[in-house]
């Protein structure tokens, strides 16, 4: 009887193998033995996704060239194929799974882990009905967790609906992309705009959120307003006070009428302390991290040094090092089990802090520990495997920062409440009340984890005054201006995706019941990277903005709320989730997607033809694109002699591509980034001067050479 353990990737397989007593490496798999395993157990692995949906032309050759007449593309049966460069490992996995009597799916917990495993089994035509299907379900790659997981394997069929959910998401995204992208691209080309415009079920509403924010900022017109403030002098100390209730005044006339009615004037006058309140407040420590909240927090603290995808990569590396729990979690809660092991290991974790501190809160609090709110994975926390300071010091900077932030946020749960006294003073001037609020820390406690010393930085003191005390007030009326909304950062955009565009801070988002936004914890970072790779989003000093091409796309889709609405996309996410919960069928969801596509095919051409504002916007955008293309041109095409060679993203290409000229030059060649001067020289003379910095593919050694064009193809010239 053969048991095959199917991991998601090589590093995961190695972690399992390292936990077992004996192992022997083979070609693409391991033979393993351990008391927790049956005899004749093998461990193999995928390479992430080994199987993908085939492109439209595999269904019919006519789809190779885009044409409106060929839409919609609705395959009767969806076909999958093995990714070309992963064919070898697929054959290894296929042979082992056919041989197996028991298959243990051991990829990452959740939808995509199921999709990877079951897609391989479907493509390999494994007779799963006549095999025992089991599932490894763990949240840490530490040895103890792995062994415990293999002792408590779950029924593999229990998770089959998660595979159906993930595959339905995959197919729906394919349908939207393969129909809406040609539709908009071809219509935009009819209006003189070149290029390919990619539409995505999740990407497009995400891009549109940034576009709307950019437009608000661009069209914002600051408006002046006046405030009425007071500077209070009491006991030889001055403090500021704001109008209570606070209000602004549009102009001098409105302010003057208000001041006359309230018997006050600018400048010094007598005032009365109306009320004094001293309240001790105990704000809780920050919530534990889901992936989205961690990505937002890291981006906020470390700015441009940490994109969402870089943060995910850092957490993944720490997970594979067995120091942090599973990263792709949407939960900010723990079960009692995780809380117990954290409490038992507090002394070890404290060794990583600059200074030890009391951590007396060893009774779980519902703000952090609530098993009912943990669905697939708990919040991101430390494992029982505690690295040494020396090990942490050797990590890349971002990994150190991420581990430190998770460590301190988790330990803050055990610290005594942060206490401070909030003093509120109400001062009456004439018939107007002014409010001042001061804050003095009593016991910083968990705050000390995030600040080396609180010192005076946490203080905002007010003088000691008593109700009925006569003081002096100086009233001022400063003129200020309204300010535009702030641009999105990757951190704030990740939060906006999670809340479907609702304006919530991270703490509010955490307590929303069943919050579902755009995308999933596992996909949001990838969505942003895709938008940046396609050059729809650009980053400038940690701010995200929509590029000129992105603006064109957003203007084109603006009239289709089904493509731009975050709330609609969030409803789709909830519908997909219902497939995993067996409340909805894949056929039902895909039927809705097909109706959406048919609606787009009917309405969008009419919008392009009839909407004058859209046509005006597209003409203006075409002029901008042509100007940018002319500015970006690096020379006349040496092949067709009429086209302009310009930057096309990953390469330099000819503007006559649609007319049949496919001449292009790479930006990188044999490990060297080609300077723009070399590109211009190649286009003008057909060859370059001697260039340094190429690397041999065989030996890895650096070498120098000239480049030349031979029949429009790039080659080396060693003469």
């Amino acid at each position: 009887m053969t048991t095959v353990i199917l991991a998601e990737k090589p590093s995961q397989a190695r972690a399992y193998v390292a936990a077992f007593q004996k192992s022997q490496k083979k070609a693409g798999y391991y033979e393993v033995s351990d008391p927790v395993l049956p005899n004749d157990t093998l461990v193999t692995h995928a390479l992430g996704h080994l199987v993908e949906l085939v492109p439209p032309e595999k269904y019919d050759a006519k789809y190779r060239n885009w044409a409106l007449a060929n839409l919609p593309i609705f395959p009767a049966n969806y076909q999958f194929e093995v990714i070309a460069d992963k064919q070898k490992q697929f054959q290894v996995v296929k042979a082992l799974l056919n041989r197996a009597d028991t298959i243990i799916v051991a990829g990452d917990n959740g939808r995509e882990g199921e999709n990877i495993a079951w897609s391989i089994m479907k493509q390999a035509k494994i007779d799963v009905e006549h095999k025992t299907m089991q599932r490894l379900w763990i949240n840490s790659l530490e040895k103890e967790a792995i062994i415990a997981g293999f002792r408590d394997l779950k029924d593999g069929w229990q998770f089959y609906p998660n595979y159906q959910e993930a595959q339905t998401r995959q197919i729906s995204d394919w349908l939207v992309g393969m129909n809406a992208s040609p539709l908009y691209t071809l219509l935009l080309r009819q209006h003189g705009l070149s290029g390919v415009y990619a539409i995505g079920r999740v990407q497009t509403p995400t891009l549109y959120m940034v576009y709307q924010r950019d437009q608000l900022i661009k069209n914002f017109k600051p408006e002046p307003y006046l405030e009425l403030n007071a500077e209070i002098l009491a006991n030889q100390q001055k403090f500021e006070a704001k109008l209570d209730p606070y209000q602004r005044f549009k102009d001098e006339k409105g302010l003057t009428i208000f001041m006359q009615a309230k018997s006050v004037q600018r400048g010094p006058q007598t005032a009365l302390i109306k009320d004094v309140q001293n309240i001790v407040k105990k704000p809780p420590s920050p919530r534990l991290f889901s992936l989205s909240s961690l990505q937002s927090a890291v981006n906020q603290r470390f700015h441009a040094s940490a994109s969402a995808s870089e943060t995910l990569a850092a957490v993944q590396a720490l997970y594979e090092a067995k120091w942090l729990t599973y990263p792709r979690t949407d939960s900010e809660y723990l079960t009692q089990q995780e809380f117990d092991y954290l409490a038992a290991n507090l002394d070890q974790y404290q060794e990583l802090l600059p200074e030890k501190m009391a951590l007396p809160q060893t009774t779980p609090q519902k703000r952090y520990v609530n098993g009912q709110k943990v669905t697939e994975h708990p919040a991101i926390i430390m494992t029982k495997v505690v690295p040494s300071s020396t090990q942490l010091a050797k990590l890349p900077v971002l990994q150190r920062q991420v581990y430190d932030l998770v460590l301190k946020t988790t330990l803050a749960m055990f610290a005594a409440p942060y206490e401070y006294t909030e003093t509120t003073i109400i001062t009456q001037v004439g018939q107007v009340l002014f409010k001042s609020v001061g804050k003095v820390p009593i016991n910083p406690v968990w705050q000390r984890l995030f600040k080396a010393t609180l010192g005076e930085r946490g203080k905002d003191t007010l003088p000691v005054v008593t109700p009925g005390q006569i003081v002096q007030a100086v009233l001022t009326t400063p003129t200020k201006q309204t300010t535009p909304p702030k641009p999105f950062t990757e951190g704030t955009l990740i939060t906006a995706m999670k809340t479907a565009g609702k304006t919530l801070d991270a703490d509010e988002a955490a307590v929303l019941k069943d919050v579902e936004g755009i995308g999933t914890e596992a996909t949001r970072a990838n969505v942003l990277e895709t938008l940046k790779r396609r050059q729809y989003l650009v980053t400038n000093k940690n701010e995200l903005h929509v590029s000129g091409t992105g603006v064109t796309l957003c203007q084109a889709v603006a009239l289709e709320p089904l493509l731009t609405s975050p709330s609609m996309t969030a409803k789709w996410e909830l519908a997909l989730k219902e497939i995993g919960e067996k409340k909805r069928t894949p056929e039902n969801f895909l039927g809705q997607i097909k109706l959406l596509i048919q609606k787009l095919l009917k309405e969008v051409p009419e919008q392009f033809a009839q909407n004058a504002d859209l046509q005006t916007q597209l003409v203006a955008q075409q002029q901008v694109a042509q100007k940018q293309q002319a500015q970006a041109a690096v020379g006349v095409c040496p092949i067709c002699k009429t086209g302009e060679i310009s930057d096309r993203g990953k390469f330099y290409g000819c503007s006559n591509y649609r007319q049949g000229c496919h001449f292009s030059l790479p930006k990188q060649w044999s490990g060297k980034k080609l300077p723009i001067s070399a590109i211009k020289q190649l286009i003008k003379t057909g060859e370059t001067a001697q260039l340094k910095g190429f690397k041999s593919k065989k030996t890895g050694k650096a070498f120098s050479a000239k480049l030349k064009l031979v029949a429009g193809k790039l080659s080396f010239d060693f003469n």
Side-chain angles (χ1 to χ4, degrees):
M1 302 289 282
T2 300
T3 297
V4 173
I5 299 168
L6 177 57
E8 189 168 311
K9 50 199 165 188
S11 60
Q12 193 175 54
R14 289 193 296 269
Y16 298 153
V17 170
F20 303 139
Q21 288 185 359
K22 294 181 181 179
S23 65
Q24 187 173 0
K25 194 176 189 311
K26 300 290 184 178
Y29 69 100
Y30 300 83
E31 293 176 349
V32 294
S33 62
D34 191 274
V36 79
L37 300 173
N39 293 330
D40 191 19
T41 296
L42 309 171
V43 177
T44 190
H45 58 82
L47 299 168
H49 284 278
L50 296 183
V51 178
E52 64 184 1
L53 282 156
V54 303
E57 57 266 26
K58 291 290 183 74
Y59 295 102
D60 193 321
K62 71 179 182 181
Y63 295 134
R64 193 176 300 278
N65 296 313
W66 284 1
L68 292 175
N70 290 338
L71 302 178
I73 302 172
F74 290 159
N77 295 294
Y78 297 96
Q79 298 175 25
F80 293 79
E81 64 184 359
V82 180
I83 299 169
D85 61 355
K86 299 180 179 181
Q87 184 72 240
K88 182 178 178 181
Q89 184 60 19
F90 174 80
Q91 295 301 330
V92 171
V93 174
K94 177 180 178 180
L96 294 176
L97 294 179
N98 271 309
R99 173 180 160 187
D101 299 288
T102 298
I103 297 174
I104 301 174
V105 175
D108 285 348
N109 298 356
R111 293 172 286 252
E112 282 311 306
E114 302 301 324
N115 194 15
I116 289 171
W118 286 93
S119 292
I120 291 171
M121 290 186 277
K122 293 274 187 180
Q123 190 70 16
K125 296 181 170 56
I126 305 300
D127 184 9
V128 292
E129 296 289 345
H130 292 88
K131 296 183 186 289
T132 301
M133 300 300 300
Q134 294 183 306
R135 185 53 158 107
L136 175 70
W137 195 264
I138 57 176
N139 287 303
S140 165
L141 288 178
E142 57 189 315
K143 179 178 179 179
E144 185 179 334
I146 291 170
I147 297 300
F150 277 102
R151 285 200 183 101
D152 186 28
L153 292 169
K154 303 181 183 302
D155 177 7
W157 289 103
Q158 175 186 341
F159 301 93
Y160 186 77
N162 297 123
Y163 155 66
Q164 293 178 302
E165 175 189 344
Q167 191 181 76
T168 304
R169 176 182 275 106
Q170 186 180 9
I171 293 172
S172 67
D173 288 346
W174 187 93
L175 285 170
V176 172
M178 295 304 167
N179 285 281
S181 297
L183 171 64
Y184 277 94
T185 296
L186 292 169
L187 290 172
L188 286 166
R189 285 177 181 175
Q190 289 176 7
H191 284 73
L193 287 157
S194 60
V196 174
Y197 293 85
I199 301 291
R201 184 183 61 85
V202 177
Q203 293 168 31
T204 303
T206 301
L207 179 68
Y208 199 76
M209 281 198 294
V210 184
Y211 168 74
Q212 286 182 308
R213 179 66 59 87
D214 279 355
Q215 292 302 301
L216 285 174
I217 295 169
K218 178 183 176 182
N219 298 323
F220 181 82
K221 294 181 179 179
E223 295 182 357
Y225 65 91
L226 293 97
E227 288 185 341
L228 180 58
N229 299 330
E231 182 183 75
I232 312 299
L233 175 62
N235 303 335
Q236 298 183 329
Q237 294 184 51
K238 293 180 180 179
F239 59 96
E240 302 295 324
K242 296 282 187 182
L243 193 61
D244 186 39
Y246 175 79
Q247 62 175 300
R248 297 174 175 180
F249 302 92
K250 288 186 177 181
D251 51 37
E252 183 70 33
K253 180 180 179 182
L255 174 61
T256 300
I257 292 172
F258 177 85
M259 293 175 69
Q260 289 175 347
K262 300 295 184 179
S263 304
V264 294
Q265 63 278 335
R266 290 181 176 89
Q269 51 218 286
T270 302
L272 174 73
I273 301 298
K274 189 74 174 176
D275 188 26
V276 180
Q277 294 181 0
N278 291 292
I279 302 173
V280 175
K281 293 197 171 183
K282 300 179 180 181
S285 68
R287 292 184 179 274
L288 302 177
F289 287 123
S290 67
L291 176 58
S292 289
S293 63
L294 179 57
Q295 288 168 321
S296 297
V298 169
N299 182 260
Q300 181 182 9
R301 286 173 180 265
F302 309 120
H303 303 298
S305 65
S307 68
S309 62
E310 289 168 337
T311 299
L312 174 56
V315 187
Q316 181 70 28
L318 292 165
Y319 167 67
E320 292 180 6
K322 306 178 181 64
W323 292 339
L324 289 184
T325 55
Y326 182 69
R328 294 171 179 82
T329 175
D330 61 359
S331 177
E332 296 178 336
Y333 295 91
L334 305 178
T335 67
Q336 184 70 46
Q337 181 181 359
E338 287 92 30
F339 182 84
D340 288 344
Y341 86 69
L342 288 170
N345 288 280
L346 286 178
D347 288 342
Q348 291 186 67
Y349 300 132
Q350 285 236 50
E351 295 294 328
L352 301 175
L353 298 176
E355 59 174 315
K356 282 196 172 185
M357 59 182 292
L359 299 174
Q361 296 277 23
T362 53
T363 301
Q365 304 167 66
K366 283 192 175 181
R367 178 178 172 84
Y368 316 101
V369 184
N370 189 335
Q372 293 181 340
K373 293 192 176 183
V374 179
T375 51
E376 294 180 347
H377 317 281
I380 299 171
I381 56 172
M382 303 82 69
T383 66
K384 300 173 193 174
V385 179
V386 184
S388 67
S389 298
T390 303
Q391 288 174 309
L392 288 175
K394 293 178 181 178
L395 292 176
V397 172
L398 183 56
Q399 288 184 35
R400 289 204 308 270
Q401 291 171 330
V402 167
Y403 188 87
D404 184 68
L405 186 56
V406 172
L407 172 75
K408 291 176 177 177
T409 301
T410 306
L411 293 185
M413 168 177 63
F414 294 95
Y418 164 44
E419 295 184 41
Y420 67 88
T421 300
E422 183 179 272
T423 300
T424 303
I425 299 175
I426 304 296
T427 305
Q428 182 174 341
V429 185
Q431 299 173 33
V432 183
L433 299 180
F434 292 87
K435 182 165 75 173
S436 307
V437 179
K439 183 167 67 175
V440 178
I442 301 171
N443 191 357
V445 198
W446 64 257
Q447 281 268 9
R448 284 174 49 205
L449 287 162
F450 302 95
K451 299 176 183 178
T453 55
L454 195 66
E456 294 298 317
R457 291 161 57 192
K459 294 185 178 181
D460 184 12
T461 58
L462 294 174
V464 176
V465 293
T466 56
Q469 182 177 344
I470 303 299
V471 294
Q472 291 296 309
V474 178
L475 266 56
T476 59
T477 57
T479 300
K480 298 185 177 181
Q481 284 192 327
T482 55
T483 56
K486 293 181 180 179
F488 275 117
T489 65
E490 286 207 26
T492 55
L493 184 56
I494 285 283
T495 300
M497 291 173 74
K498 184 169 184 174
T499 60
K502 297 182 180 71
T503 305
L504 304 173
D505 63 30
D507 208 54
E508 290 174 318
V511 297
L512 281 181
K513 184 178 180 182
D514 298 328
V515 63
E516 284 290 340
I518 300 176
T520 67
E521 299 290 326
T523 61
R524 288 179 189 126
N526 185 57
V527 168
L528 299 192
E529 286 304 305
T530 300
L531 289 170
K532 289 191 290 184
R533 186 178 68 251
R534 288 176 171 162
Q535 298 185 327
Y536 295 154
L537 279 184
V538 293
T539 305
N540 181 22
K541 295 181 180 179
N542 201 39
E543 293 180 355
L544 286 175
H545 297 284
V546 179
S547 68
T549 304
V551 168
T552 300
L553 180 57
C554 289
Q555 290 173 343
V557 300
L559 298 177
E560 278 299 339
L562 290 176
L563 289 177
T564 61
S565 168
S567 60
M568 179 58 67
T569 308
K571 289 177 182 177
W572 286 350
E573 295 295 345
L574 285 172
L576 283 163
K577 191 175 181 180
E578 288 178 347
I579 295 172
E581 296 169 347
K582 299 183 180 180
K583 297 177 182 177
R584 186 186 294 264
T585 65
E587 292 75 21
N588 172 274
F589 184 84
L590 293 175
Q592 292 181 340
I593 293 295
K594 288 179 180 179
L595 289 174
L596 159 69
I597 291 167
Q598 289 169 332
K599 183 175 183 291
L600 292 176
L601 293 174
K602 179 179 182 298
E603 294 181 355
V604 174
E606 295 173 357
Q607 293 167 1
F608 272 73
Q610 299 173 8
N611 190 286
D613 288 341
L614 175 59
Q615 291 182 12
T616 301
Q617 290 171 341
L618 292 177
V619 168
Q621 203 60 36
Q622 180 188 4
Q623 293 170 347
V624 170
Q626 289 172 342
K627 184 177 179 181
Q628 289 175 340
Q629 185 174 348
Q631 291 172 343
V634 293
V636 177
C637 178
I639 303 301
C640 70
K641 308 298 184 182
T642 59
E644 293 281 350
I645 303 299
S646 60
D647 191 331
R648 301 287 174 171
K650 293 185 178 181
F651 63 94
Y652 294 93
C654 181
S655 59
N656 284 339
Y657 179 86
R658 290 174 61 195
Q659 285 73 43
C661 182
H662 295 167
F663 174 75
S664 65
L665 288 171
K667 287 189 171 182
Q668 189 160 321
W669 185 261
S670 288
K672 176 180 174 62
K673 183 178 180 181
L674 300 182
I676 188 66
S677 57
I679 297 294
K680 290 180 177 179
Q681 201 172 12
L682 274 168
I683 293 169
K684 186 175 182 180
T685 67
E687 64 179 6
T688 70
Q690 193 87 349
L691 298 173
K692 297 179 180 180
F694 296 109
K695 284 189 178 181
S696 169
K697 291 182 179 179
K698 291 183 178 180
T699 65
K701 292 183 178 180
F703 66 92
S704 300
K706 293 181 179 180
L707 293 176
K708 65 179 181 179
L709 288 174
V710 179
K713 300 295 182 182
L714 191 60
S715 63
F716 285 116
D717 182 359
F718 294 102
N719 296 325

